[in-house]
Amino acid sequence: GQPLVLNFWATWCPPCRAEMPALQAVAQAYGDQGVRVLGVNQAEDANQVAGFMQTLGLDFPVLLDRDAAVSQLYRVRSLPTTFFIDREGVIREIIIGGPMSQALLASKMESLLK
């Protein structure tokens, strides 16, 4: 019942790294309105991901897709790939590549909240 931003990423991916502060900002700005930001790290070590998150001050939830099975289910072919999913669970938009700006993410949040 909540809009969801599902971001597939990896620490070795420069555009992924670059858009993380924008994802954090929208997670904080829109969390009270019900939008959830969820990162899906692709096949990296938990300690490496935790260190990366701590270094950048990121606190939105990140799941570890250890064997890239979830990435395969979503047909992720390149990183970053971000899915914008509405309250009914319908994928409304997919953005492949990045980095996404905070302004672009904010506009997508507003669309999800309608």
Side-chain angles (χ1 to χ4, degrees):
Q2 295 176 314
L4 176 66
V5 177
L6 191 61
N7 177 261
F8 289 83
W9 67 283
T11 62
W12 52 261
C13 165
C16 300
R17 295 173 71 95
E19 71 186 10
M20 285 295 162
L23 285 165
Q24 177 66 34
V26 297
Q28 290 176 332
Y30 291 89
D32 289 345
Q33 297 176 54
V35 178
R36 297 292 170 239
V37 174
L38 184 62
V40 181
N41 178 270
Q42 196 172 51
E44 292 187 287
D45 176 72
N47 291 329
Q48 182 178 5
V49 173
F52 174 82
M53 298 290 288
Q54 184 176 15
T55 298
L56 290 183
L58 307 172
D59 63 6
F60 58 86
V62 172
L63 305 175
L64 301 177
D65 188 13
R66 295 183 195 273
D67 58 1
V70 176
S71 297
Q72 289 175 1
L73 287 173
Y74 278 86
R75 297 184 177 158
V76 173
R77 301 285 181 249
S78 65
L79 298 177
T81 296
T82 305
F83 293 81
F84 296 89
I85 303 169
D86 70 14
R87 294 178 195 280
E88 287 77 41
V90 176
I91 297 171
R92 292 296 176 187
E93 190 165 355
I94 303 168
I95 296 182
I96 300 169
M100 292 182 292
S101 69
Q102 187 172 338
L104 173 66
L105 283 164
S107 73
K108 302 301 178 194
M109 299 299 114
E110 295 297 330
S111 294
L112 287 177
L113 289 169
K114 288 183 181 176

